[in-house]
Amino acid sequence: MNAGSLALVAALLAAVAGSLAGQQRPPQPQPQQQARPGQRPAPSVVDSTAPALEYRREVFSYRGGTRDPFMTLISSSDVRPTVNDLTLVSITYDPRGGSVAMVRERGVERPHRLRVGRTLGRLRVLQIQRNRVVFQVEEFGFERQE
């Protein structure tokens, strides 16, 4: 390092040390100057005439023509029951057609009597076999079998 660089580094260190020392000292009160007649007083740091800050929250209201974008597209009656909510109670099987399956939904006292083609929420009965019922589940335009 040359002498000019050392002098610059020393000056920077002195400036930083001076600012740190200034931060550690408590602030000294400034002497109040008397206002002369016809002269305005010096403005204070806190302006008591300024209006208080007011925070406002933006509120959305979805009344009218368009749907609420935060509402689910599937109503609760369309969702229930799911296949996991159903318990197979009995099947009256007829190989020529006309089979009937009795299933019980969790939380509902009366069992459902199902035939081929019957819908239950999003579930549609496709087949009733000797020991199982095959449902077609429709979700968001897609269909699957359970």
Side-chain angles (χ1 to χ4, degrees):
M1 287 176 109
N2 61 13
S5 299
L6 286 175
L8 180 63
V9 170
L12 286 173
L13 286 175
V16 169
S19 68
L20 289 176
Q23 288 178 356
Q24 294 174 353
R25 285 190 225 136
Q28 299 295 326
Q30 297 292 328
Q32 295 269 338
Q33 293 183 358
Q34 293 293 330
R36 295 183 191 152
Q39 184 182 20
R40 289 181 151 187
S44 63
V45 175
V46 178
D47 188 9
S48 62
T49 62
L53 289 177
E54 181 180 331
Y55 295 102
R56 294 184 184 176
R57 183 175 183 196
E58 190 172 0
V59 179
F60 296 98
S61 177
Y62 294 101
R63 294 183 207 133
T66 61
R67 70 170 189 83
D68 184 353
F70 300 106
M71 294 294 293
T72 179
L73 295 174
I74 302 174
S75 67
S76 61
S77 63
D78 293 339
V79 174
R80 292 284 173 197
T82 62
V83 175
N84 295 332
D85 292 338
L86 300 176
T87 303
L88 182 61
V89 176
S90 66
I91 293 178
T92 305
Y93 181 71
D94 184 4
R96 295 173 286 155
S99 299
V100 177
M102 297 287 285
V103 295
R104 187 173 300 274
E105 183 180 350
R106 186 182 322 150
V108 178
E109 290 191 28
R110 289 186 57 195
H112 297 283
R113 192 174 301 160
L114 303 177
R115 296 182 185 270
V116 175
R118 167 107 190 266
T119 59
L120 192 63
R122 292 180 300 153
L123 307 174
R124 187 166 55 106
V125 180
L126 287 181
Q127 297 175 0
I128 298 177
Q129 299 174 353
R130 288 185 189 272
N131 56 358
R132 70 183 188 140
V133 178
V134 179
F135 292 101
Q136 178 179 2
V137 183
E138 298 176 19
E139 292 179 321
F140 302 110
F142 295 102
E143 299 172 348
R144 69 178 197 282
Q145 291 183 5
E146 287 191 25

